[in-house]
Amino acid sequence: MRTGLVRFGRTTSAGTRARRAAAALTVASALMIPFATTTVAAATPVSRTAPVALAGPAYTQTSGATVTSVDWLSDRRVALWVQSPSMGTPIQVQLLLARDWNINPQATFPQVYMLDGLRATDQENGWTSETDAESYFADKNVNVVLPIGGQSSFYSDWVDQDNGKNYQWETFLTKELPPILAKDWRSTDTRGVVGLSMGGTSAMFLAARNPGFFKFAGSLSGILTTTSLGMPQAIQYAMTDAGGYNSSAMWGAPSNSLWAQHDPYLLADKLKGVSLYISSGNGSTGPYDQPSGIPGVSTNYAGMGLEILSRLTSQTFATKLNQLGIPAQVNYRPSGTHSWPYWQFELHQLWPQLATALGVEVDKPACSAAGMIGNASGANSWLGPCLTAEYNVAGGRAQDFTFGRVFFTPDTGAQVVAGAIGGIYQGNGGPAGALGFPKTGEIGTPDGRGRFNAFQNGMVYFTPQTGAHVVKGAVLDEWAAQGYEGGPLGYPVLDEVVTPNKPGSVQGFEIGAIYTSPVGVHSVQGMILGKYGELGWESGALGFPKSNELGPIRDGGRFNQFETGNIYWSPISGAWSTPYGPIFDAWGSVGYEGGRLGYPTSDQFDIDGGGKQQNFQFGIITVKDGVATIAP
């Protein structure tokens, strides 16, 4: 877990802490909040008008979103890229699949949406990058939904584009995404939502604005009154600091009714029947903070001011709920700043309430590992506790653990598959898929860069730089003949795919590619591969390769043979193609690259008056009317 100074849910550098702390504390002072105290008195409810009327109907699903890509990151963590009609771009959503996903393939599961903070990145949701959420949810029987991106968005539908973003997050999360999760990812319409900071604000107003969509809503250090004195300005400051966004593009000017329509305080009456959890610290130094030397003051200066704002607004919101007779679990910690360790702690605290609201058991059923699978798990203690009992799979047995799975057949023994390799294996159908059962556990490669598992019908290789990829069949045989990852091609960087316009396939490696076609299985690499690409790959004039790279020849050069010509390369001349025909034959008549002309220094090109020409190191060859001429 990474820790540090926190700004609305993401870490910050020390060089900017004073400015941000001062701004946060200025807002706190305007709201008459006592600074750096150990307790905060209950706030007097702010006077408000009647409950806000919501624009539009209650929650209804819409179709149109499509999944454009699926990437299995582990056996129970998967990344989806969903083309959003409302946002006009692919949105990444990661899923942590339920504990019983594998053992009970017909089951469906409740969902938990986990919302990020103001500094959400486009790479990973903070709940997995900053906390133990992935391992914590491993033994929980829910599908966890992790939206990626949405910096400064408040997960809402914006009135205008800003910074090149067309934010329509509420539409995406409540209307476009649910049909996909129900159809393809065995998810029910029983849902909860948990958010921190910005995400806590969003969790409450999304639950209120979409009646019946969420059965549970949890705000961890959320800002739960957005229209009270100073809050629109505080939100504008934070959004400017987190990506340079303008809040007027989100909900218009502070006087616009959209601000009220997204204010959890004003929407509180819409939360009847939702199980609610609210928490915040008070900004003073807590068990996960670094003391500054001043009593009660941590080095997380900005996080202190932000948590004070969260405490005040949370108290105001909770008081409103109490007045409305709406029950809520409220946890005001006696200390702590606006930072991830506290949100991880609160996630653990709220789980029993969340589980009850979703109708799943709080604790996983008892299980144990025995026999050959027990021996394998015992020898790999990093797998962690078992999650399930043993179960049947495709002619063998399997058992799930916190950080991987163990598979067994009498022929292959008990083998561990985990991590990114386990994800690729799962994405390829597991033991029922093309790879069959694992024959080995995960093994390190001799160069120390990568790891692999061998399976009955192929191998999966992984490095941090290249990811995990399957190598099998004729491609695996050829790669093995060249020395696996220690050979000239290096590690696989792509999976094998069918060539688009001609019958065959290709797999990319670090330094080249292996083609399978009717003329054989051959590799192309380096600058020869670059030239081949310029000419249109297998769909170009040369067709498929019919040899591996050959050489060395004159001056350290090399060449590949293709269906209708060759590509030659040398350090001096570069890489050029020589199609079969009169020019190629004439060059051959004087000894190819070993003769007086040397290597080609151009591709063939048309010349005036009809005909073709190709330049070489020490001369040219032209063809007119089918007659080749060598000069000099």
Side-chain angles (χ1 to χ4, degrees), residues 130-386:
E130 305 287 348
T131 78
D132 67 352
E134 182 173 7
S135 60
Y136 183 71
F137 276 110
D139 66 357
K140 312 295 189 287
N141 225 14
V142 294
N143 286 341
V144 179
V145 181
L146 297 153
I148 310 296
Q151 182 184 46
S152 286
S153 69
F154 280 87
Y155 296 103
S156 60
D157 288 355
W158 285 32
V159 298
D160 201 358
Q161 298 185 24
D162 194 18
N163 276 356
K165 302 288 188 179
N166 177 32
Y167 282 152
Q168 300 294 314
W169 277 98
E170 183 173 0
T171 293
F172 177 75
L173 293 174
T174 65
K175 295 178 173 61
E176 295 174 352
L177 182 61
I180 291 171
L181 299 180
K183 177 178 178 291
D184 299 324
W185 298 97
R186 295 159 52 191
S187 296
T188 71
D189 61 1
T190 300
R191 305 178 189 88
V193 58
V194 178
L196 72 301
S197 192
M198 173 189 84
T201 310
S202 306
M204 288 300 168
F205 73 61
L206 286 173
R209 288 172 56 83
N210 298 273
F213 191 78
F214 293 114
K215 293 187 179 297
F216 174 96
S219 168
L220 315 183
S221 302
I223 306 300
L224 299 183
T225 61
T226 59
T227 60
S228 59
L229 176 66
M231 287 313 303
Q233 292 73 29
I235 290 172
Q236 174 59 71
Y237 174 84
M239 291 174 62
T240 300
D241 193 54
Y245 289 90
N246 193 331
S247 64
S248 65
M250 181 169 67
W251 300 327
S255 59
N256 192 306
S257 64
L258 286 173
W259 281 82
Q261 291 179 30
H262 293 83
D263 187 334
Y265 180 93
L266 296 180
L267 299 175
D269 66 311
K270 309 292 185 183
L271 292 169
K272 291 179 180 177
V274 180
S275 179
L276 302 175
Y277 186 97
I278 302 160
S279 74
S280 70
N282 74 345
S284 64
T285 303
Y288 301 114
D289 295 303
Q290 180 68 40
S292 67
I294 302 172
V297 178
S298 77
T299 56
N300 187 0
Y301 302 115
M304 294 178 66
L306 293 173
E307 199 67 7
I308 291 170
L309 293 179
S310 170
R311 172 63 70 88
L312 173 74
T313 62
S314 294
Q315 287 178 318
T316 303
F317 178 69
T319 300
K320 177 70 171 292
L321 292 175
N322 187 55
Q323 292 173 340
L324 293 170
I326 298 175
Q329 177 66 41
V330 182
N331 182 20
Y332 296 142
R333 297 188 306 275
S335 62
T337 59
H338 208 71
S339 50
W340 282 103
Y342 296 103
W343 302 324
Q344 174 176 293
F345 169 81
E346 292 294 347
L347 174 62
H348 293 213
Q349 294 296 109
L350 66 80
W351 168 249
Q353 181 181 340
L354 173 57
T356 300
L358 299 184
V360 299
E361 66 272 23
V362 174
D363 299 316
K364 73 176 179 69
C367 62
S368 61
M372 296 291 288
I373 289 181
N375 292 340
S377 65
N380 294 274
S381 58
W382 54 267
L383 280 171
C386 64

Side-chain angles (χ1 to χ4, degrees), residues 4-7 10-17 20 119 241 300 302-303:
L5 304 176
V6 176
R7 304 167 292 176
R10 272 292 189 262
T11 56
T12 184
S13 63
T16 57
R17 65 178 93 158
R20 292 178 180 126
R119 296 181 179 278
D241 193 54
N300 187 0

Side-chain angles (χ1 to χ4, degrees), residues 19 32 125-126 128 136 209 241 249 295 375 386 423 479 488 530 586 600 623:
R19 177 170 59 88
M32 296 183 293
N125 188 293
T128 52
Y136 183 71
R209 288 172 56 83
D241 193 54
N375 292 340
C386 64
W479 188 50
V623 172

